[in-house]
Amino acid sequence: MDIRPARTRLAPSPTGRFHLANARNALYSYLVARQTGGQFILRVEDTDQRRFVPGAEEVIVLSLEWLGLTPNESPFHGGQHGPYRQTERREIYQHYAKILIEKDSAYPCFCTPERLDQMRKEQEARKVDRVRYDGLCRRLDPENAARRVASGEKYVIRFKMPYEGTTTAHDHIRGNIVTENRYLDDYILMRSDGLPTYHLSAMVDDHEMKITHVLRSAEWLPTFPLHVQIIRAFGWDEPIWIHPSILLKPSGKGKMSKRDTAAAMKDGHSIFVDDLDGLGYTPEGVLNWIALMGWGVAEDDVMTLDEMIERFSIDNLTPSPAAINFQKLDHFNGTHIRLLTTEELARRVKPFLTNAGFDVDDDTLLKVTPLIRERLVTLDDSIPFAGFFFKGTVEPNPEDLIAKGLDARQSAEIARKAYDILASLPDMSHQTAEPPMREFVETSGLSANQVFGILRVAVTGQKVSPPLFESMEVIGKENVLERLQKARTLLESL
Ligand code: GLU
């Protein structure tokens, strides 16, 4: 493996939302940079002004920050190879387009949209293998073409693709990809508005920014031969090209559609990184999940970002499409939640509890956190599991207070006995409270489920809670007794 300090980049277009595939490219790029002591760069590809979405750039940066994949160079972090926004680099592309024309690898094309449309229709009628530009302007005398440009005529710049032979492009995951040039086109490099297309701008920027590894979506495979042709026309060194596997919807059939995305959201999941935070996912869980989509390590390998830096290798990436599996996300999220320290977990669940309207005091939260840790899949699970700790009173459903196989009167009697036992204790620590309550169960001939069920609903207000005696310890003797008293009154009124 090449161990020179790598320079890698994420080159998103601010045209939509920041999704898992972007995040995965960012992660792999970041890992390659970090493990070689290199740099990870964020470059914003905003030359398609019609598709520009205001605010998209900020979401990208915030998502990267949240994941912990902070770029070394970006429009926000600066750097020596900027500007990092393509619309701020127009002159650079114009300069390089001119060089390609001088090298006879590109030419201005004056064909109008109407003519191109007619050409396409004619070719389709002839049932050609592949509709491509017919080369009308490619055959123009260069001096004549230059005069027309100088006179202000509208034009685009096209790449001069060889008509014959083949292009071999090497992808690190897929090996050599050989394409017959007759299936390729004289692609447009510069639009008539003077802004470049991706084909030119990305190649120029990767060169100018000294990118060593280009990790990008497999959607670019069809134009991959064009890209290597452009680089060879300039006479530049090629980067290592890496096109990770395609991500498929959970069923494995096709890519995520708008409808799939909406369905996932309803289910508390999302493919958009800026949603995952609010849904209670942790960056650690999300990173672990996306790392394994296309990296051939054991499916359930639990890794932190530092461990990934240690272990990642572009040699282990697989080309097979990966289905997005939200159950795995839940699994990794729960696993990473359990790896957090109590203080850190408390810090992370606090905003969820506060936003749910609970008045959270840090002392109680620190006591509660170890009690709920094992049960959390997402951070917002803390609301049903732990919210009641922060309420002055609870409002149990009276029906829930009636133990299975008993009636309200018998249940009230148990609440009364439990009250008496607990009231006689010096404190409510679980070591103090649990033995006499268990003894009561034994002598009463009732089951633990019956007795502790009443106790649980009475003091927590709900049928499911963290471990009962530990919870009672946090709630405190006075509150426990008050709630038992209230439960008994409620039962007696039924
Ligand atoms: N701007 C391109 C996109 O968002 C970037 C592709 C690349 O990483 O080269 O699809």
Side-chain angles (χ1 to χ4, degrees), residues 450-480:
Q450 288 172 312
V451 175
F452 296 164
I454 295 171
L455 196 54
R456 184 187 310 278
V457 175
V459 300
T460 70
Q462 51 198 54
K463 290 205 274 193
V464 182
S465 79
L468 177 60
F469 290 99
E470 280 84 349
S471 300
M472 286 167 38
E473 178 173 335
V474 176
I475 292 165
K477 185 173 173 184
E478 195 182 325
N479 269 331
V480 167

PDB file of all heavy atoms in Angstrom, residues 450-480:
ATOM      1  N   GLN A 450     -46.568  -9.953  40.963  1.00  0.00           N
ATOM      2  CA  GLN A 450     -47.760  -9.274  41.484  1.00  0.00           C
ATOM      3  C   GLN A 450     -47.369  -8.115  42.403  1.00  0.00           C
ATOM      4  O   GLN A 450     -47.785  -6.982  42.207  1.00  0.00           O
ATOM      5  CB  GLN A 450     -48.646 -10.269  42.250  1.00  0.00           C
ATOM      6  CG  GLN A 450     -49.350 -11.260  41.321  1.00  0.00           C
ATOM      7  CD  GLN A 450     -50.067 -12.365  42.094  1.00  0.00           C
ATOM      8  OE1 GLN A 450     -49.490 -12.975  42.992  1.00  0.00           O
ATOM      9  NE2 GLN A 450     -51.318 -12.623  41.755  1.00  0.00           N
ATOM     10  N   VAL A 451     -46.514  -8.425  43.372  1.00  0.00           N
ATOM     11  CA  VAL A 451     -46.160  -7.397  44.363  1.00  0.00           C
ATOM     12  C   VAL A 451     -45.339  -6.266  43.732  1.00  0.00           C
ATOM     13  O   VAL A 451     -45.655  -5.082  43.889  1.00  0.00           O
ATOM     14  CB  VAL A 451     -45.381  -8.037  45.539  1.00  0.00           C
ATOM     15  CG1 VAL A 451     -44.908  -6.957  46.511  1.00  0.00           C
ATOM     16  CG2 VAL A 451     -46.245  -9.074  46.250  1.00  0.00           C
ATOM     17  N   PHE A 452     -44.310  -6.649  43.008  1.00  0.00           N
ATOM     18  CA  PHE A 452     -43.423  -5.606  42.445  1.00  0.00           C
ATOM     19  C   PHE A 452     -44.107  -4.849  41.310  1.00  0.00           C
ATOM     20  O   PHE A 452     -43.790  -3.693  41.032  1.00  0.00           O
ATOM     21  CB  PHE A 452     -42.104  -6.213  41.968  1.00  0.00           C
ATOM     22  CG  PHE A 452     -41.295  -6.812  43.104  1.00  0.00           C
ATOM     23  CD1 PHE A 452     -40.244  -7.685  42.855  1.00  0.00           C
ATOM     24  CD2 PHE A 452     -41.588  -6.496  44.429  1.00  0.00           C
ATOM     25  CE1 PHE A 452     -39.505  -8.227  43.900  1.00  0.00           C
ATOM     26  CE2 PHE A 452     -40.852  -7.047  45.484  1.00  0.00           C
ATOM     27  CZ  PHE A 452     -39.809  -7.920  45.221  1.00  0.00           C
ATOM     28  N   GLY A 453     -45.088  -5.530  40.671  1.00  0.00           N
ATOM     29  CA  GLY A 453     -45.855  -4.843  39.624  1.00  0.00           C
ATOM     30  C   GLY A 453     -46.609  -3.664  40.210  1.00  0.00           C
ATOM     31  O   GLY A 453     -46.571  -2.553  39.675  1.00  0.00           O
ATOM     32  N   ILE A 454     -47.288  -3.891  41.333  1.00  0.00           N
ATOM     33  CA  ILE A 454     -48.040  -2.801  41.986  1.00  0.00           C
ATOM     34  C   ILE A 454     -47.075  -1.688  42.416  1.00  0.00           C
ATOM     35  O   ILE A 454     -47.297  -0.507  42.187  1.00  0.00           O
ATOM     36  CB  ILE A 454     -48.812  -3.342  43.216  1.00  0.00           C
ATOM     37  CG1 ILE A 454     -49.875  -4.341  42.753  1.00  0.00           C
ATOM     38  CG2 ILE A 454     -49.437  -2.201  44.017  1.00  0.00           C
ATOM     39  CD1 ILE A 454     -50.551  -5.093  43.887  1.00  0.00           C
ATOM     40  N   LEU A 455     -45.987  -2.132  43.020  1.00  0.00           N
ATOM     41  CA  LEU A 455     -44.997  -1.167  43.513  1.00  0.00           C
ATOM     42  C   LEU A 455     -44.445  -0.317  42.361  1.00  0.00           C
ATOM     43  O   LEU A 455     -44.320   0.911  42.449  1.00  0.00           O
ATOM     44  CB  LEU A 455     -43.868  -1.974  44.186  1.00  0.00           C
ATOM     45  CG  LEU A 455     -42.908  -1.242  45.096  1.00  0.00           C
ATOM     46  CD1 LEU A 455     -43.647  -0.459  46.183  1.00  0.00           C
ATOM     47  CD2 LEU A 455     -41.953  -2.258  45.757  1.00  0.00           C
ATOM     48  N   ARG A 456     -44.146  -0.997  41.253  1.00  0.00           N
ATOM     49  CA  ARG A 456     -43.558  -0.304  40.097  1.00  0.00           C
ATOM     50  C   ARG A 456     -44.521   0.744  39.535  1.00  0.00           C
ATOM     51  O   ARG A 456     -44.149   1.898  39.339  1.00  0.00           O
ATOM     52  CB  ARG A 456     -43.198  -1.314  39.001  1.00  0.00           C
ATOM     53  CG  ARG A 456     -42.498  -0.695  37.785  1.00  0.00           C
ATOM     54  CD  ARG A 456     -42.314  -1.704  36.648  1.00  0.00           C
ATOM     55  NE  ARG A 456     -41.710  -2.957  37.075  1.00  0.00           N
ATOM     56  CZ  ARG A 456     -40.405  -3.157  37.239  1.00  0.00           C
ATOM     57  NH1 ARG A 456     -39.563  -2.187  37.011  1.00  0.00           N
ATOM     58  NH2 ARG A 456     -39.951  -4.331  37.636  1.00  0.00           N
ATOM     59  N   VAL A 457     -45.777   0.335  39.315  1.00  0.00           N
ATOM     60  CA  VAL A 457     -46.737   1.284  38.736  1.00  0.00           C
ATOM     61  C   VAL A 457     -46.980   2.432  39.721  1.00  0.00           C
ATOM     62  O   VAL A 457     -47.074   3.597  39.333  1.00  0.00           O
ATOM     63  CB  VAL A 457     -48.056   0.573  38.360  1.00  0.00           C
ATOM     64  CG1 VAL A 457     -49.088   1.589  37.869  1.00  0.00           C
ATOM     65  CG2 VAL A 457     -47.802  -0.491  37.296  1.00  0.00           C
ATOM     66  N   ALA A 458     -47.028   2.095  41.011  1.00  0.00           N
ATOM     67  CA  ALA A 458     -47.286   3.138  42.014  1.00  0.00           C
ATOM     68  C   ALA A 458     -46.167   4.181  42.053  1.00  0.00           C
ATOM     69  O   ALA A 458     -46.442   5.377  42.059  1.00  0.00           O
ATOM     70  CB  ALA A 458     -47.442   2.505  43.398  1.00  0.00           C
ATOM     71  N   VAL A 459     -44.901   3.729  42.037  1.00  0.00           N
ATOM     72  CA  VAL A 459     -43.828   4.729  42.217  1.00  0.00           C
ATOM     73  C   VAL A 459     -43.288   5.310  40.913  1.00  0.00           C
ATOM     74  O   VAL A 459     -42.766   6.425  40.914  1.00  0.00           O
ATOM     75  CB  VAL A 459     -42.649   4.211  43.085  1.00  0.00           C
ATOM     76  CG1 VAL A 459     -43.112   3.833  44.468  1.00  0.00           C
ATOM     77  CG2 VAL A 459     -41.919   3.076  42.428  1.00  0.00           C
ATOM     78  N   THR A 460     -43.411   4.586  39.799  1.00  0.00           N
ATOM     79  CA  THR A 460     -42.885   5.151  38.544  1.00  0.00           C
ATOM     80  C   THR A 460     -44.012   5.660  37.651  1.00  0.00           C
ATOM     81  O   THR A 460     -43.760   6.389  36.698  1.00  0.00           O
ATOM     82  CB  THR A 460     -42.068   4.108  37.733  1.00  0.00           C
ATOM     83  OG1 THR A 460     -42.965   3.118  37.224  1.00  0.00           O
ATOM     84  CG2 THR A 460     -41.000   3.444  38.577  1.00  0.00           C
ATOM     85  N   GLY A 461     -45.227   5.216  37.911  1.00  0.00           N
ATOM     86  CA  GLY A 461     -46.352   5.637  37.074  1.00  0.00           C
ATOM     87  C   GLY A 461     -46.458   4.846  35.792  1.00  0.00           C
ATOM     88  O   GLY A 461     -47.297   5.123  34.954  1.00  0.00           O
ATOM     89  N   GLN A 462     -45.575   3.870  35.598  1.00  0.00           N
ATOM     90  CA  GLN A 462     -45.623   3.110  34.348  1.00  0.00           C
ATOM     91  C   GLN A 462     -45.305   1.641  34.579  1.00  0.00           C
ATOM     92  O   GLN A 462     -44.736   1.270  35.604  1.00  0.00           O
ATOM     93  CB  GLN A 462     -44.681   3.739  33.311  1.00  0.00           C
ATOM     94  CG  GLN A 462     -43.272   3.983  33.806  1.00  0.00           C
ATOM     95  CD  GLN A 462     -42.522   4.973  32.928  1.00  0.00           C
ATOM     96  OE1 GLN A 462     -43.000   6.089  32.678  1.00  0.00           O
ATOM     97  NE2 GLN A 462     -41.358   4.574  32.456  1.00  0.00           N
ATOM     98  N   LYS A 463     -45.720   0.824  33.589  1.00  0.00           N
ATOM     99  CA  LYS A 463     -45.566  -0.623  33.766  1.00  0.00           C
ATOM    100  C   LYS A 463     -44.152  -1.105  33.469  1.00  0.00           C
ATOM    101  O   LYS A 463     -43.737  -2.173  33.914  1.00  0.00           O
ATOM    102  CB  LYS A 463     -46.566  -1.354  32.863  1.00  0.00           C
ATOM    103  CG  LYS A 463     -48.001  -1.174  33.359  1.00  0.00           C
ATOM    104  CD  LYS A 463     -48.886  -2.302  32.898  1.00  0.00           C
ATOM    105  CE  LYS A 463     -49.430  -2.020  31.508  1.00  0.00           C
ATOM    106  NZ  LYS A 463     -50.522  -2.918  31.140  1.00  0.00           N
ATOM    107  N   VAL A 464     -43.439  -0.319  32.658  1.00  0.00           N
ATOM    108  CA  VAL A 464     -42.059  -0.685  32.324  1.00  0.00           C
ATOM    109  C   VAL A 464     -41.153   0.399  32.877  1.00  0.00           C
ATOM    110  O   VAL A 464     -41.421   1.583  32.705  1.00  0.00           O
ATOM    111  CB  VAL A 464     -41.883  -0.781  30.796  1.00  0.00           C
ATOM    112  CG1 VAL A 464     -40.469  -1.196  30.447  1.00  0.00           C
ATOM    113  CG2 VAL A 464     -42.900  -1.746  30.202  1.00  0.00           C
ATOM    114  N   SER A 465     -40.101  -0.022  33.556  1.00  0.00           N
ATOM    115  CA  SER A 465     -39.194   0.983  34.132  1.00  0.00           C
ATOM    116  C   SER A 465     -37.807   0.378  34.261  1.00  0.00           C
ATOM    117  O   SER A 465     -37.639  -0.828  34.099  1.00  0.00           O
ATOM    118  CB  SER A 465     -39.707   1.414  35.511  1.00  0.00           C
ATOM    119  OG  SER A 465     -39.361   0.426  36.474  1.00  0.00           O
ATOM    120  N   PRO A 466     -36.834   1.181  34.589  1.00  0.00           N
ATOM    121  CA  PRO A 466     -35.520   0.624  34.918  1.00  0.00           C
ATOM    122  C   PRO A 466     -35.648  -0.236  36.182  1.00  0.00           C
ATOM    123  O   PRO A 466     -36.701  -0.245  36.822  1.00  0.00           O
ATOM    124  CB  PRO A 466     -34.656   1.862  35.167  1.00  0.00           C
ATOM    125  CG  PRO A 466     -35.383   2.991  34.542  1.00  0.00           C
ATOM    126  CD  PRO A 466     -36.828   2.644  34.618  1.00  0.00           C
ATOM    127  N   PRO A 467     -34.604  -0.936  36.604  1.00  0.00           N
ATOM    128  CA  PRO A 467     -34.676  -1.808  37.785  1.00  0.00           C
ATOM    129  C   PRO A 467     -35.383  -1.095  38.953  1.00  0.00           C
ATOM    130  O   PRO A 467     -35.039   0.032  39.305  1.00  0.00           O
ATOM    131  CB  PRO A 467     -33.211  -2.111  38.094  1.00  0.00           C
ATOM    132  CG  PRO A 467     -32.515  -1.965  36.775  1.00  0.00           C
ATOM    133  CD  PRO A 467     -33.267  -0.911  36.012  1.00  0.00           C
ATOM    134  N   LEU A 468     -36.362  -1.804  39.522  1.00  0.00           N
ATOM    135  CA  LEU A 468     -37.283  -1.167  40.468  1.00  0.00           C
ATOM    136  C   LEU A 468     -36.606  -0.581  41.712  1.00  0.00           C
ATOM    137  O   LEU A 468     -36.807   0.583  42.053  1.00  0.00           O
ATOM    138  CB  LEU A 468     -38.354  -2.186  40.881  1.00  0.00           C
ATOM    139  CG  LEU A 468     -39.363  -1.730  41.912  1.00  0.00           C
ATOM    140  CD1 LEU A 468     -40.153  -0.512  41.421  1.00  0.00           C
ATOM    141  CD2 LEU A 468     -40.317  -2.871  42.281  1.00  0.00           C
ATOM    142  N   PHE A 469     -35.794  -1.390  42.392  1.00  0.00           N
ATOM    143  CA  PHE A 469     -35.267  -0.901  43.680  1.00  0.00           C
ATOM    144  C   PHE A 469     -34.217   0.195  43.488  1.00  0.00           C
ATOM    145  O   PHE A 469     -34.140   1.129  44.279  1.00  0.00           O
ATOM    146  CB  PHE A 469     -34.758  -2.081  44.530  1.00  0.00           C
ATOM    147  CG  PHE A 469     -35.907  -2.931  45.007  1.00  0.00           C
ATOM    148  CD1 PHE A 469     -36.259  -4.110  44.358  1.00  0.00           C
ATOM    149  CD2 PHE A 469     -36.686  -2.523  46.082  1.00  0.00           C
ATOM    150  CE1 PHE A 469     -37.338  -4.866  44.776  1.00  0.00           C
ATOM    151  CE2 PHE A 469     -37.786  -3.273  46.509  1.00  0.00           C
ATOM    152  CZ  PHE A 469     -38.106  -4.447  45.856  1.00  0.00           C
ATOM    153  N   GLU A 470     -33.452   0.079  42.396  1.00  0.00           N
ATOM    154  CA  GLU A 470     -32.507   1.158  42.083  1.00  0.00           C
ATOM    155  C   GLU A 470     -33.270   2.445  41.764  1.00  0.00           C
ATOM    156  O   GLU A 470     -32.869   3.546  42.146  1.00  0.00           O
ATOM    157  CB  GLU A 470     -31.606   0.775  40.897  1.00  0.00           C
ATOM    158  CG  GLU A 470     -30.447  -0.136  41.249  1.00  0.00           C
ATOM    159  CD  GLU A 470     -30.828  -1.611  41.271  1.00  0.00           C
ATOM    160  OE1 GLU A 470     -32.046  -1.917  41.224  1.00  0.00           O
ATOM    161  OE2 GLU A 470     -29.926  -2.457  41.342  1.00  0.00           O
ATOM    162  N   SER A 471     -34.400   2.287  41.067  1.00  0.00           N
ATOM    163  CA  SER A 471     -35.205   3.468  40.725  1.00  0.00           C
ATOM    164  C   SER A 471     -35.769   4.104  41.999  1.00  0.00           C
ATOM    165  O   SER A 471     -35.772   5.329  42.152  1.00  0.00           O
ATOM    166  CB  SER A 471     -36.359   3.092  39.803  1.00  0.00           C
ATOM    167  OG  SER A 471     -35.874   2.537  38.606  1.00  0.00           O
ATOM    168  N   MET A 472     -36.244   3.249  42.926  1.00  0.00           N
ATOM    169  CA  MET A 472     -36.801   3.774  44.181  1.00  0.00           C
ATOM    170  C   MET A 472     -35.748   4.517  44.987  1.00  0.00           C
ATOM    171  O   MET A 472     -36.025   5.522  45.638  1.00  0.00           O
ATOM    172  CB  MET A 472     -37.415   2.631  45.001  1.00  0.00           C
ATOM    173  CG  MET A 472     -38.741   2.174  44.403  1.00  0.00           C
ATOM    174  SD  MET A 472     -39.394   0.614  45.039  1.00  0.00           S
ATOM    175  CE  MET A 472     -38.995   0.649  46.741  1.00  0.00           C
ATOM    176  N   GLU A 473     -34.538   4.025  44.897  1.00  0.00           N
ATOM    177  CA  GLU A 473     -33.441   4.690  45.616  1.00  0.00           C
ATOM    178  C   GLU A 473     -33.283   6.135  45.100  1.00  0.00           C
ATOM    179  O   GLU A 473     -33.121   7.069  45.882  1.00  0.00           O
ATOM    180  CB  GLU A 473     -32.152   3.886  45.425  1.00  0.00           C
ATOM    181  CG  GLU A 473     -30.950   4.504  46.091  1.00  0.00           C
ATOM    182  CD  GLU A 473     -29.712   3.597  46.038  1.00  0.00           C
ATOM    183  OE1 GLU A 473     -29.864   2.370  45.922  1.00  0.00           O
ATOM    184  OE2 GLU A 473     -28.605   4.153  46.119  1.00  0.00           O
ATOM    185  N   VAL A 474     -33.346   6.275  43.763  1.00  0.00           N
ATOM    186  CA  VAL A 474     -33.188   7.613  43.179  1.00  0.00           C
ATOM    187  C   VAL A 474     -34.385   8.494  43.533  1.00  0.00           C
ATOM    188  O   VAL A 474     -34.235   9.673  43.851  1.00  0.00           O
ATOM    189  CB  VAL A 474     -33.030   7.517  41.634  1.00  0.00           C
ATOM    190  CG1 VAL A 474     -32.969   8.907  41.019  1.00  0.00           C
ATOM    191  CG2 VAL A 474     -31.791   6.704  41.268  1.00  0.00           C
ATOM    192  N   ILE A 475     -35.564   7.909  43.510  1.00  0.00           N
ATOM    193  CA  ILE A 475     -36.779   8.691  43.786  1.00  0.00           C
ATOM    194  C   ILE A 475     -36.820   9.158  45.255  1.00  0.00           C
ATOM    195  O   ILE A 475     -37.313  10.237  45.565  1.00  0.00           O
ATOM    196  CB  ILE A 475     -38.033   7.854  43.418  1.00  0.00           C
ATOM    197  CG1 ILE A 475     -38.084   7.674  41.891  1.00  0.00           C
ATOM    198  CG2 ILE A 475     -39.322   8.505  43.899  1.00  0.00           C
ATOM    199  CD1 ILE A 475     -39.031   6.601  41.415  1.00  0.00           C
ATOM    200  N   GLY A 476     -36.271   8.329  46.145  1.00  0.00           N
ATOM    201  CA  GLY A 476     -36.151   8.750  47.546  1.00  0.00           C
ATOM    202  C   GLY A 476     -37.340   8.307  48.394  1.00  0.00           C
ATOM    203  O   GLY A 476     -38.469   8.179  47.891  1.00  0.00           O
ATOM    204  N   LYS A 477     -37.034   8.108  49.657  1.00  0.00           N
ATOM    205  CA  LYS A 477     -38.032   7.507  50.564  1.00  0.00           C
ATOM    206  C   LYS A 477     -39.339   8.307  50.621  1.00  0.00           C
ATOM    207  O   LYS A 477     -40.429   7.762  50.471  1.00  0.00           O
ATOM    208  CB  LYS A 477     -37.424   7.379  51.959  1.00  0.00           C
ATOM    209  CG  LYS A 477     -38.330   6.660  52.935  1.00  0.00           C
ATOM    210  CD  LYS A 477     -37.609   6.396  54.250  1.00  0.00           C
ATOM    211  CE  LYS A 477     -38.598   5.836  55.266  1.00  0.00           C
ATOM    212  NZ  LYS A 477     -37.992   5.642  56.589  1.00  0.00           N
ATOM    213  N   GLU A 478     -39.199   9.582  50.798  1.00  0.00           N
ATOM    214  CA  GLU A 478     -40.387  10.413  50.995  1.00  0.00           C
ATOM    215  C   GLU A 478     -41.332  10.310  49.799  1.00  0.00           C
ATOM    216  O   GLU A 478     -42.538  10.081  49.947  1.00  0.00           O
ATOM    217  CB  GLU A 478     -39.924  11.858  51.188  1.00  0.00           C
ATOM    218  CG  GLU A 478     -40.974  12.762  51.744  1.00  0.00           C
ATOM    219  CD  GLU A 478     -40.426  14.179  51.855  1.00  0.00           C
ATOM    220  OE1 GLU A 478     -39.203  14.323  52.147  1.00  0.00           O
ATOM    221  OE2 GLU A 478     -41.196  15.114  51.612  1.00  0.00           O
ATOM    222  N   ASN A 479     -40.760  10.461  48.600  1.00  0.00           N
ATOM    223  CA  ASN A 479     -41.575  10.381  47.385  1.00  0.00           C
ATOM    224  C   ASN A 479     -42.172   8.997  47.175  1.00  0.00           C
ATOM    225  O   ASN A 479     -43.315   8.862  46.755  1.00  0.00           O
ATOM    226  CB  ASN A 479     -40.737  10.743  46.159  1.00  0.00           C
ATOM    227  CG  ASN A 479     -40.816  12.222  45.870  1.00  0.00           C
ATOM    228  OD1 ASN A 479     -41.813  12.864  46.170  1.00  0.00           O
ATOM    229  ND2 ASN A 479     -39.739  12.747  45.292  1.00  0.00           N
ATOM    230  N   VAL A 480     -41.374   7.969  47.470  1.00  0.00           N
ATOM    231  CA  VAL A 480     -41.862   6.605  47.291  1.00  0.00           C
ATOM    232  C   VAL A 480     -43.097   6.386  48.172  1.00  0.00           C
ATOM    233  O   VAL A 480     -44.124   5.880  47.723  1.00  0.00           O
ATOM    234  CB  VAL A 480     -40.753   5.569  47.622  1.00  0.00           C
ATOM    235  CG1 VAL A 480     -41.332   4.163  47.750  1.00  0.00           C
ATOM    236  CG2 VAL A 480     -39.666   5.599  46.550  1.00  0.00           C
TER     237      VAL A 480
END
